[in-house]
Every structure is written in structure tokens, then in C-alpha cells.
Amino acid sequence: MVKIAVIGTGYVGLVSGACLADFGNRVVCADIDAKKISQLKKGIIPIYEPGLEDVVSNNVKAERLIFTDDLRAAIGESEVVFIAVGTPPRPDGSAELSQVEAVARQIGRVIADYKVVVTKSTVPVGTARKVRSWLTEELVARGVPDISFDVVSNPEFLREGSAVFDFMHPDRIVIGAETQRARDIMKAVYRALYLTETPYIETGLETAEMIKYAANSFLALKITFINEIANLCERVGADVQDVAKAMRRDKRIGPKFLHPGPGYGGSCFPKDTKALAWLARQAGSPLTLVEATIAANERQRELMLAKIEKGLAGEGGLAQKTLALLGLTFKPNTDDLRDSPALDIAQGLLARGAILRLYDPIALQTAKASFNATAERVYLARDEYDAITGAHALIIATEWNQFRNLDLTRIKGLLRAPYFFDLRNIYQRQAVEEKGLRYFGVGK
Ligand code: UGA
């Protein structure tokens, strides 16, 4: 059992804190946002993440997990302090580190004995070393330069929507550290996983930081690659589903992240690819593939709009056409709308004069704010079928499970014109066309 403080109760902090408590550690989750902490104390979880509420309440009950807005106390009573605050992107793509700096300095202002200070948020290569100097500056200013501490980089690889599962069943744990003492303590933190032989990769600080960016950028590149192959398939009469199916069988390529669609979104891939590209330019070693990935991913959203516009050309274009758009989050099982392709596509359709009937299982009300200026052309539907009623076309933008098995006969009856845009390839062309609908997928 290790005493842990997790600073920052956002997405990463909350999931990490709850799961680390579930591994048997004593965890204090701290945040300067007193309102958020008081909600958490009442068991109200500010994000939608399957399974999280149970892990939180079980561990609160077992007295392994507590919440506080007293950062000083949280840090003081812990041996390991995880920094899990936000690192939002600046306009040039670089990451904004002021919150990380503030926490590092706060730690330096309060510690009285040895701590392991861990960066958990995705931070640029070199940040762990900066954390060390910020903290050291504060110790020196206090006149206590001899209080010792170690910094560790421990990137997280969890996906929104399956974050709890991913934290409990990681493909690997990466620990970037500089002393054996820190490595041993981190091993104790992850003892529950270490015992199940989860691969445990120990590296230096910069390497651990680079692993996260390289992994996310590679995955973004993989998605973008299959998107571009899909676009080409449409031109030459090939079917990307079969191409991807055969590619997946090659163990060197692997089975995952080969689903074409409107491009990747969310709070990670767009931000991390840009941050890595920025870092590479700064370091004089540009990453041309990552730069191309970023550009191609932005183009993919435009291509989806063009597909819909072209598909409806026979109806006289998009102006004044009513379109049902299903799914607004950047992927299913999350309430996260950040950098969601679906939202961009919705905005693009509105800019072309369309009227939208929107439905999303979780994020409909939150999404409302994005459409203020065009509110009179946006209707928030009660469910899928309400959205479809009277529309000229149906567009599936996010593959929530409940959209995978829609009643196609009912849809045909509710639509005013028979257009079916499946931007996530979750339907078979034949099954849709048999019902008298016109099917448009991605790359087939
Ligand atoms: C991603 C990584 O998968 C996590 O390992 C990582 O920890 C996380 O970023 C992070 O850095 O915090 P996440 O953004 O939650 O996780 O979502 P993914 O499931 O990776 O999906 C990202 C985007 O790619 C979504 O928009 C999804 O629709 C899209 N995608 C994914 C595709 O278009 N095709 C695919 O085959 C896979």
C-alpha cells in the first residue's frame, strides 16, 4: 500500500486516482476547484465514463479514496504525488504547462520529506526535468534544498469510454525514472498489475515522455492512412472494408485502428500530434508523416461534407434541406465533444444552409451551446427516430451501439428523401439498399 495524492480531478486524474485506490493504495484526489470536490464527496461524478462511478463509490466506502480541495494537506501526507492537471494546446500546437508548473511549485512549497513526483498528464518531452527545477527553486527559496525528491514520468494510455478497463488491464506500464528508489516505489504503486505480469517498461525521463507522443501519433497516422486508402477505394471501385480485413490479418500491421471514418478527434490525438510536430520542428528534426497526418485528418472532415453535398446534388444541394445527424461526441461511450468531427460536420452543413435534426445519447444538451448562432436551424431530437422524421437524409456521425441496429423499414417510412450517409461504416450497403434507401459509406 502506497499513500498517493493525485492533483487534478479531470479525466486522467479521476480515473487514475480511483483505479490506484482499487489496486489497494490510499489515494487522496485533490483539486483547487472546491465545487467539483464537494460534488465528488457527494458521489457525483462530473464526467460520463462507464464503470467509474462504481470504482469511486466502492473505494470511498472502503476508505481507500478521499477527495479534498486542500492541496497542501494532500501533498503533505502522501509519499507519491501524481500531477494530473490539464495541458491545453496553445495556438502554435505547443502545450501550455502553467498548471503543471503551479502544482510543481506548490509541492516545493509544502514538502517536508522525500516524495516521488509523477507526471501523469501528457506533457512535452523535457517536462519532468522542468518539474524538478521548479520544485528545486521553491525548496531553495525556502532554505531547505536538502529535502530530497524524485521525478517520474508515467504516461497513461487509457481511452475515453473504456478508461477504467484500460487502467486495470494496460498493455504496458511505462516508468521513466532516474533512481532505484523511485522505481521501487512506482513498482509498489502498481503492485497489483506487476503481480499479473503486465509488461513493465523502465526508461529515462525523456524516453517515457516520448513513448506517449510516439504511440498516439502512430495511432493517429494509422487511422489517417486507412482514411486515405478509403478515399482512394471510392475512386477506383475497391472496398476498404475488405482491404482493411485483409490488412489486419498481417500480424505486422495488427488488427486495430483501421476503421475509416470522418477522421480522429477528441482531446488526445489532435492535441498530441500537433504538440509532437511542434517539438520536432523546434528540435530541427521535423516529422513529415505527423505533419501530413494532421493535414489529412483536417481534410477528411471536409471530404465528408463534400460526400453529403454531392450525394444530395440530385435534390438541389444542401440549402434548406433537413438533415438528421446521429452522434455528436468524438466517439461512442463518452460525453466528450472536444474536437469532434461530428460537430465540425454539423457546423459545415449549417454553413451550407442546411437545417439539422440532431440526436446524441449523452451529449445533446451540452452540444447545444455550439449552435447558438444558428439555433433556429437546429432541432434537438428526443431519439433517433424523432431526428429522422421528415429529414431528407440520415447521417451517422458517431457509432453509438444504439445506432448499429436501426429499423431500416421504419427509417424509410420516416425520411422525406432516401439518403443514408454512414460515416462510420456500420451498415452493409445491401441491407440498406434493399429497403429502398440510397447508401453512402466511406471507402466502399
Ligand atoms: C487515445 C488513445 O487511444 C489512448 O491510448 C490514449 O491514452 C488517449 O488517446 C490519451 O492520450 O489520453 P481516445 O482519444 O480516448 O484515446 O480515443 P480513441 O479510442 O483512441 O479514438 C480516437 C479517435 O480516433 C476517435 O475520434 C475515433 O473515432 C477515431 N478512430 C479510432 C477512428 O476513426 N478509427 C479507428 O480505427 C480508431
Side-chain angles (χ1 to χ4, degrees):
M1 188 277 288
V2 181
K3 285 185 167 179
I4 296 172
V6 179
I7 314 294
T9 54
Y11 200 82
V12 171
L14 194 54
V15 173
S16 305
C19 293
L20 288 170
D22 209 65
F23 290 167
N25 298 298
R26 289 282 302 277
V27 180
V28 189
C29 281
D31 203 301
I32 47 171
D33 183 342
K35 198 170 148 213
K36 201 172 187 188
I37 291 297
S38 95
Q39 301 268 350
L40 283 164
K41 280 184 174 165
K42 288 182 210 145
I44 302 168
I45 309 289
I47 51 170
Y48 173 82
E49 182 61 42
L52 182 58
E53 207 168 313
D54 284 348
V55 185
V56 169
S57 71
N58 291 344
N59 285 284
V60 167
K61 256 181 236 140
E63 296 180 355
R64 284 189 298 259
L65 177 64
I66 57 168
F67 297 99
T68 182
D69 57 6
D70 184 349
L71 266 60
R72 173 179 279 267
I75 294 164
E77 68 201 31
S78 303
E79 185 177 15
V80 178
V81 184
F82 279 84
I83 305 180
V85 291
T87 54
R90 293 201 194 94
D92 65 358
S94 66
E96 159 68 52
L97 288 178
S98 58
Q99 295 181 53
V100 175
E101 177 173 353
V103 175
R105 290 194 182 278
Q106 169 88 346
I107 297 170
R109 282 197 294 274
V110 305
I111 60 173
D113 52 10
Y114 175 81
K115 307 282 176 201
V116 179
V117 178
V118 187
T119 48
K120 192 70 178 156
S121 323
T122 302
V123 287
V125 180
T127 302
R129 235 166 257 286
K130 283 188 183 160
V131 166
R132 183 165 57 207
S133 40
W134 289 322
L135 221 149
T136 305
E137 270 174 37
E138 296 297 328
L139 293 178
V140 170
R142 281 170 58 201
V144 286
D146 293 338
I147 296 179
S148 76
F149 69 93
D150 277 307
V151 289
V152 164
S153 164
N154 170 217
E156 57 78 20
F157 300 99
L158 41 90
R159 293 163 299 171
E160 291 187 18
S162 51
V164 172
F165 179 88
D166 288 353
F167 200 99
M168 307 272 192
H169 307 87
D171 287 343
R172 75 300 208 188
I173 297 167
V174 174
I175 301 294
E178 293 186 303
T179 68
Q180 195 53 42
R181 185 175 184 188
R183 280 191 279 271
D184 288 345
I185 293 172
M186 291 308 290
K187 226 172 243 178
V189 166
Y190 286 107
R191 197 178 135 78
L193 295 177
Y194 195 63
L195 293 175
T196 58
E197 294 184 12
T198 302
Y200 200 82
I201 298 166
E202 294 181 338
T203 69
L205 297 173
E206 285 77 12
T207 305
E209 290 167 336
M210 181 58 89
I211 287 169
K212 173 61 192 261
Y213 278 109
N216 268 6
S217 296
F218 185 77
L219 292 169
L221 184 149
K222 201 173 175 189
I223 297 165
T224 306
F225 183 83
I226 203 67
N227 282 342
E228 292 210 308
I229 293 290
N231 301 340
L232 178 59
C233 282
E234 286 181 16
R235 294 292 174 100
V236 298
D239 182 332
V240 73
Q241 301 273 89
D242 289 337
V243 173
K245 195 196 278 177
M247 285 173 70
R248 281 188 191 104
R249 289 284 168 179
D250 188 324
K251 290 189 183 63
R252 294 166 303 176
I253 296 173
K256 305 235 171 98
F257 276 64
L258 287 172
H259 296 289
Y264 60 78
S267 64
C268 304
F269 289 167
K271 170 166 83 75
D272 293 353
T273 45
K274 286 177 194 150
L276 184 61
W278 181 88
L279 175 87
R281 283 195 302 271
Q282 293 296 307
S285 180
L287 288 168
T288 50
L289 287 178
V290 177
E291 303 271 6
T293 296
I294 295 164
N297 191 60
E298 279 162 14
R299 196 163 56 237
Q300 192 68 10
R301 297 175 185 198
E302 290 296 324
L303 290 175
M304 296 300 110
L305 280 169
K307 180 193 290 292
I308 297 165
E309 194 159 33
K310 193 168 159 213
L312 287 170
E315 299 289 318
L318 290 174
Q320 297 304 314
K321 290 291 161 339
T322 301
L323 309 173
L325 191 108
L326 302 187
L328 292 170
T329 50
F330 81 100
K331 66 172 193 176
N333 300 325
T334 174
D335 58 356
D336 201 337
L337 293 163
R338 283 179 284 180
D339 216 331
S340 171
L343 275 189
D344 257 8
I345 291 167
Q347 297 291 6
L349 294 170
L350 285 169
R352 286 163 176 75
I355 299 157
L356 296 184
R357 295 175 71 82
L358 306 175
Y359 179 68
D360 185 278
I362 297 282
L364 199 55
Q365 290 306 325
T366 338
K368 206 170 151 185
S370 328
F371 300 106
N372 270 349
T374 42
E376 74 285 358
R377 282 192 283 129
V378 177
Y379 168 74
L380 304 183
R382 285 186 305 277
D383 60 28
E384 302 85 330
Y385 297 102
D386 181 34
I388 293 161
T389 305
H392 293 89
L394 160 63
I395 303 160
I396 298 174
T398 308
E399 72 279 29
W400 285 88
N401 267 344
Q402 67 194 73
F403 304 154
R404 288 178 183 268
N405 203 7
L406 295 170
D407 179 342
L408 296 172
T409 310
R410 191 171 165 202
I411 289 178
K412 176 68 174 61
L414 292 172
L415 281 172
R416 199 187 305 181
Y419 298 91
F420 191 107
F421 295 92
D422 176 10
L423 305 186
R424 296 288 183 168
N425 284 354
I426 55 176
Y427 283 85
Q428 302 289 344
R429 174 186 297 280
Q430 200 191 339
V432 175
E433 296 198 332
E434 265 170 12
K435 304 288 176 186
L437 293 158
R438 291 194 55 191
Y439 181 83
F440 300 83
V442 180
K444 52 179 188 169

